[in-house]
Amino acid sequence: MAKIDLYHTDPSFTVVTGACPHDCPDTCSWQVAVETGSGRAVDIWGNPHHSITQGKLCGKVDRYLERTYHADRLMTPLRRVGAKGSGHFVPVAWDAAIAEIAARLRSVIDAYGAEAVLPYSYSGTLGFLQGEGMATRFFERMGASRLARTICSEAGFEGYLYTLGAAEGMAPEDFAHARLILIWGSNTLTSNLHLWPFVQAARKQGARVLVIDPARTRTAQAADEWLPIRPGTDGALALAMMHVIIAEQLHDDDYVARYTVGFDQLAGRVREWTPARAAAITGVPAQRIIDLARDYATTRPAAIRINYGIQRHYGGGMAVRTIACLPALIGAWRAHGGGLQLSASGLFRHLDKRGLYAEDELLRAPRPWPFTPRTLNMNRLGDALSLDPTRLAQAHYHPRPIDPLPAPDQAGPPVKALLVYNCNPAAGAPDQNAVRAGLRRDDLFTVVLEHFQTDTADYADYILPATMQLEHWDIHKSYGHAYLALNRPALAPVGASLPNSEIFRRLAAALGYVDACFTETDEEILRAFVETQTHERFAGITWPRLLAEGFCRLNLPDPYLPFAQGNFPTPSGKCEFYSARMAADGYDPLPSYTRPQWQEQAGREEGETEREEPLSIATGNTPLVAPRRSPLVCISPPAHSFLNTTFANALRFIEREVRPVLRIHPDDAAARGIEDGNQVRVCNELGEVHLAAAVTAGLMPGTVLAPGVWWAKFSPDGRNINQITSSHETDMGASARFYDTVVWVEKIIT
Ligand SMILES: Nc1nc2c(c(=O)[nH]1)N[C@H]1C(S)=C(S)[C@@H](COP(=O)(O)OP(=O)(O)OC[C@H]3O[C@@H](n4cnc5c(=O)[nH]c(N)nc54)[C@H](O)[C@@H]3O)O[C@H]1N2
Ligand SMILES: Nc1nc2c(c(=O)[nH]1)N[C@H]1C(S)=C(S)[C@@H](COP(=O)(O)OP(=O)(O)OC[C@H]3O[C@@H](n4cnc5c(=O)[nH]c(N)nc54)[C@H](O)[C@@H]3O)O[C@H]1N2
Ligand SMILES: [Mo]
């Protein structure tokens, strides 16, 4: 602490408060010490005044200055000189780059219409402004295709909304009051670190912590118990828990009667979900399911942290929808320390008095066109970039069974220009071979706004250097807590980089878009955003306060128990065990079990785990050699030291992760003659990747795990795990199925 005190008192340093921009529920508040003379940042630390950050940053962001001043950082705009994907570029001045890009965009729009332009972005930054703020103004003004941003969380999000009505739930602080905590499909110590102190506080008061996960993660190791489960089968576990709870009359009659709809139908449904049946599907022993249900229903307060690991499977939406019924069934929402958390983002997403969403107010996008542009699904990037109209039609966003796909001749123009920002799809998007085939098209004009020359940037016609968080303004909501944060620039832009907002502003000017929204400064936009909020949750949050304090808690009661007395923002106002909206959208209106694709595809019956596989499978590359063993299901959750593909180009973090590996159970390894450290080929009909086997008993048999997401170009075989992930949609929200991948694994014989 002494060093930090020095920065605050020594006039040769300025301390600036900001916010971590990364895709993580914690949205930390940070402070940076800048040497006044040189203008260089010398230290960064977690804000000690923020009650979630509590003075600590994660191991990645603690090194944010290394990222900021990294030798590979892009310093000037670049123009391609080599073949697409070869990564050869020459520097070009900003004015020339903007003029040339605008000219190319204009010619695409003239020849094919604005829908031939596709923005492609996701979670490089979660800031309102450098995220979609100015970009949306720009693309909406143009009338470009819209992008459905589905790669991460939409399945679970939709499932949650059907049951509970809003992306709200327990506050992280309130986990400290729980007596039983189920961490379900979350690797908290890796991906949600700042929840852990509250979990530990609960344990000090006697709480038990269970982790339900196919892998014995570092979180599972730190918990009281690891409950291994087969990927994508959590819905069956939840149904059997409800079977036990209702059969043994452990549910909260009063809460159910007042605040839920459809209990009788639910009871009818779960009657068939005996623990024995669920055990065969999930791999969790029947007696363990019974005990878990009893513990859950009789321990108060009982808290569940579900996270997105649970929903990256075909049935992910239904799984979350089903689990979301549990707290209402036992009345867990009543108690401080009881309930469920998936996302807190709904806290920030509310209508103001004029019926505008907070985000829309910021965007204030001009929409001069009489038509609504098509929406393409980001997970289908390979199809979106295909010149085959049938595939292009498949790329249209269709989040529910009732949403139609267009006929191929109605799919609209081929994508002729792609503008990528805050995103690295050549490494992180599913079906990598299809994505790269699209990016390689010579007739596709691609611009990438980046910090580094990523796998994606290699395919660009122009790379534009973007500022990092220490160099620009932004405002951040959180999807894990209730604090809004302001990020102030602490440094001048590194090199010739510009904020995304300024790059889009300049492109707008070059295209002749004269709307007022393109001349507001970043600071003006954010200030207006704060000042125009009228919702009571923003009461007391002012621009001067944000400037002075760096963050503000939304105006919510503390503790905030959103559903203690019902008040579910569903159509019925109750927790919907039965959902008429689901029926209307083409789903089973009751909680049910939707089999993951790996079970369907591998032709497995419930519970069957091992099967000789006579299939001959044509991979993108080498054919498999005999003997062929049964397929395995592959999941690829985050490596501890990477954040999706971010940080995976820094030597420090690469060294921590050592090399790209495939974790495999000793039984599955032995059956394939694989020993620890062997190089293995992991493949399916989409492609293949070579990884080093890491044999471990800390995994559900039949499941393999490849920590992600490595840059392909920094991997020994120039490929990564998204060689083999499918771009097909989940049951709800048209999300990605990263953890629902059938693979064949064999030793590479050299
Ligand atoms: N260090 C680090 N932190 C991150 C990220 C990162 O890449 N690195 N990514 C950020 C982003 S974008 C997101 S969306 C979140 C993701 O973080 P989480 O929401 O926690 O989700 P995942 O890490 O995808 O998966 C969490 C756990 O779910 C397990 N899992 C996989 N399939 C199943 C299943 O079917 N059932 C159950 N019960 N468990 C399953 C995985 O083994 C993993 O341990 O984290 C954010 N934080
Ligand atoms: N196999 C597999 N694939 C996955 C996942 C998985 O678990 N397994 N996780 C998925 C999930 S949950 C997610 S959310 C997605 C995330 O996928 P992406 O959204 O592609 O996220 P990143 O891979 O972190 O890449 C973000 C890029 O944005 C850049 N960037 C950051 N800030 C800025 C900025 O201010 N301006 C500009 N111009 N660029 C910036 C960074 O340098 C980085 O290269 O990946 C998905 N892919
Ligand atoms: Mo994500």
Side-chain angles (χ1 to χ4, degrees):
M1 228 21 198
K3 213 161 90 190
I4 295 174
D5 288 341
L6 172 80
Y7 296 133
H8 281 286
T9 49
D10 183 337
S12 48
F13 298 102
T14 314
V15 174
V16 183
T17 303
C20 176
H22 289 298
D23 188 345
C24 169
D26 298 0
T27 315
C28 287
S29 175
W30 70 29
Q31 295 186 313
V32 189
V34 181
E35 215 172 45
T36 321
S38 64
R40 216 179 145 82
V42 293
D43 208 348
I44 186 165
W45 61 91
N47 192 336
H49 308 296
H50 190 285
S51 52
I52 309 293
T53 306
Q54 295 194 9
K56 286 200 189 63
L57 296 175
C58 69
K60 306 174 297 303
V61 176
D62 213 27
R63 301 285 173 174
Y64 199 74
L65 301 188
E66 289 175 19
R67 180 170 169 80
T68 303
Y69 295 123
H70 194 289
D72 294 343
R73 194 142 166 214
L74 296 167
M75 292 292 175
T76 66
L78 297 170
R79 185 200 291 134
R80 178 169 68 89
V81 286
K84 287 233 169 175
S86 69
H88 294 121
F89 295 87
V90 291
V92 53
W94 267 112
D95 285 351
I98 294 286
E100 290 163 25
I101 293 167
R104 283 292 294 268
L105 291 176
R106 207 175 292 117
S107 72
V108 165
I109 295 167
D110 289 348
Y112 297 92
E115 279 186 315
V117 179
L118 179 67
Y120 197 91
S121 67
Y122 200 64
S123 67
T125 167
L126 296 191
F128 276 135
L129 181 58
Q130 309 306 342
E132 300 310 323
M134 193 55 90
T136 299
R137 292 178 174 186
F138 176 74
F139 290 110
E140 287 293 303
R141 169 65 183 79
M142 179 186 283
S145 285
R146 291 177 177 167
L147 186 73
R149 293 182 172 81
T150 50
I151 203 163
C152 172
S153 57
E154 292 303 296
F157 205 80
E158 293 301 325
Y160 197 86
L161 294 189
Y162 280 125
T163 307
L164 302 173
E168 287 187 31
M170 287 181 68
E173 300 93 317
D174 297 341
F175 278 77
H177 300 273
R179 282 299 166 116
L180 176 69
I181 300 177
L182 306 185
I183 295 185
W184 199 334
S186 160
N187 187 1
T188 311
L189 279 172
T190 286
S191 57
N192 184 196
L193 186 62
H194 293 79
L195 179 64
W196 196 251
F198 302 108
V199 173
Q200 289 297 69
R203 289 172 96 181
K204 286 214 182 78
Q205 304 296 318
R208 283 202 328 122
V209 179
L210 272 63
V211 171
I212 306 173
D213 198 301
R216 190 160 183 266
T217 58
R218 60 175 72 208
T219 312
Q221 287 170 46
D224 295 300
E225 188 181 342
W226 171 43
L227 252 115
I229 188 167
R230 294 194 186 109
T233 64
D234 305 273
L237 175 60
L239 288 162
M241 286 172 70
M242 292 195 269
H243 172 100
V244 175
I245 291 168
I246 295 175
E248 299 187 0
Q249 303 202 343
L250 298 175
H251 56 280
D252 182 335
D253 259 331
D254 179 65
Y255 192 94
V256 164
R258 283 173 199 254
Y259 307 130
T260 72
V261 284
F263 176 75
D264 291 344
Q265 291 108 308
L266 176 71
R269 168 60 56 87
V270 301
R271 203 166 295 134
E272 63 204 51
W273 278 97
T274 60
R277 180 176 175 197
I281 294 173
T282 58
V284 183
Q287 189 58 46
R288 190 67 200 87
I289 299 177
I290 295 168
D291 293 343
L292 175 66
R294 287 177 183 158
D295 278 353
Y296 177 65
T298 56
T299 313
R300 297 294 153 78
I304 304 179
R305 172 59 163 147
I306 41 172
N307 218 341
Y308 292 112
I310 223 165
Q311 49 94 66
R312 306 196 200 286
H313 314 86
Y314 174 65
M318 189 58 95
V320 170
R321 180 269 190 283
T322 300
I323 294 167
C325 293
L326 281 166
L329 188 63
I330 65 157
W333 292 113
R334 290 180 191 274
H336 186 200
L340 173 68
Q341 191 195 37
L342 174 63
S343 168
S345 59
L347 291 173
F348 299 84
R349 184 166 173 78
H350 51 253
L351 294 171
D352 72 10
K353 284 181 187 144
R354 290 152 300 165
L356 286 172
Y357 283 115
E359 286 96 327
D360 289 350
E361 175 56 41
L362 173 75
L363 303 178
R364 269 196 257 139
R367 292 181 176 126
W369 308 103
F371 63 92
T372 303
R374 68 179 171 193
T375 301
L376 300 177
N377 186 350
M378 73 182 300
N379 297 325
R380 291 270 192 175
L381 182 59
D383 291 325
L385 296 181
S386 166
L387 294 172
D388 172 355
T390 307
R391 286 184 59 196
L392 181 57
Q394 291 284 341
H396 277 242
Y397 176 54
H398 58 118
R400 301 166 301 178
I402 56 161
D403 296 316
L405 276 179
D409 62 350
Q410 299 296 309
V415 174
K416 299 292 278 186
L418 179 73
L419 277 78
V420 182
Y421 52 101
N422 307 332
C423 207
N424 185 10
D431 197 357
Q432 188 166 97
N433 283 312
V435 169
R436 288 178 183 241
L439 292 173
R440 259 194 306 271
R441 268 174 49 205
D442 271 320
D443 66 321
L444 177 73
F445 178 64
T446 302
V447 180
V448 176
L449 284 58
E450 251 303 345
H451 298 148
F452 295 103
Q453 193 174 327
T454 57
D455 286 332
T456 308
D458 280 346
Y459 291 90
D461 292 283
Y462 286 86
I463 308 177
L464 303 178
T467 47
M468 276 189 201
Q469 189 79 343
L470 295 181
E471 303 145 51
H472 57 225
W473 285 97
D474 221 327
I475 278 187
H476 290 257
K477 67 179 184 183
S478 164
Y479 66 93
H481 56 70
Y483 290 81
L484 188 78
L486 176 70
N487 183 71
R488 306 174 68 153
L491 315 175
V494 170
S497 62
L498 291 175
N500 290 345
S501 52
E502 177 61 15
I503 298 174
F504 285 112
R505 212 179 263 122
R506 291 189 187 189
L507 284 171
L511 283 165
Y513 303 158
V514 294
D515 313 67
C517 71
F518 295 115
T519 52
E520 287 173 283
T521 66
D522 289 355
E523 199 180 338
E524 282 166 357
I525 292 169
L526 294 179
R527 186 183 178 134
F529 167 70
V530 174
E531 286 175 350
T532 52
Q533 297 302 326
T534 51
H535 195 279
E536 60 186 27
R537 280 183 190 160
F538 272 75
I541 301 184
T542 62
W543 183 248
R545 231 189 109 193
L546 281 169
L547 283 175
E549 295 166 33
F551 59 87
C552 294
R553 187 171 187 270
L554 290 178
N555 178 34
L556 295 167
D558 193 6
Y560 177 57
L561 307 183
F563 309 130
Q565 273 112 34
N567 291 319
F568 293 94
T570 53
S572 64
K574 300 185 173 191
C575 172
E576 300 205 341
F577 297 151
Y578 178 93
S579 164
R581 201 157 69 83
M582 288 182 76
D585 287 349
Y587 297 107
D588 186 335
L590 286 172
S592 58
Y593 175 55
T594 305
R595 279 155 65 98
Q597 192 59 27
W598 67 266
Q599 283 184 336
E600 298 282 342
Q601 199 178 327
R604 293 184 195 192
E605 295 308 316
E606 285 182 2
E608 192 186 346
T609 55
E610 194 68 14
R611 195 162 69 92
E612 281 299 324
E613 188 47 66
L615 258 177
S616 97
I617 135 151
T619 75
N621 304 288
T622 337
L624 281 172
V625 292
R628 296 191 185 97
R629 301 296 306 187
S630 68
L632 299 164
V633 53
C634 178
I635 62 177
S636 50
H640 186 71
S641 306
F642 301 157
L643 195 129
N644 303 314
T645 72
T646 303
F647 300 104
N649 62 327
L651 201 55
R652 173 185 297 278
F653 300 120
I654 291 176
E655 282 173 356
R656 281 185 196 169
E657 295 298 331
V658 186
R659 58 183 168 168
V661 298
L662 184 77
R663 294 193 194 136
I664 184 166
H665 190 273
D667 296 348
D668 297 320
R672 291 163 182 77
I674 294 168
E675 287 169 21
D676 193 63
N678 285 167
Q679 279 296 112
V680 294
R681 174 180 296 132
V682 184
C683 61
N684 61 21
E685 71 287 358
L686 296 171
E688 71 174 66
V689 56
H690 298 179
L691 302 168
V695 178
T696 166
L699 204 55
M700 191 76 192
T703 301
V704 287
L705 186 154
V709 178
W710 289 80
W711 285 28
K713 66 175 164 184
F714 294 158
S715 302
D717 66 338
R719 292 176 281 211
N720 76 9
I721 196 67
N722 283 318
Q723 281 280 320
I724 53 157
T725 53
S726 157
S727 63
H728 286 234
E729 291 84 354
T730 51
D731 57 344
M732 294 177 195
S735 245
R737 297 183 194 168
F738 287 113
Y739 305 167
D740 194 354
T741 303
V742 172
V743 293
W744 282 263
V745 178
E746 63 170 16
K747 184 169 157 177
I748 296 174
I749 296 154
T750 45

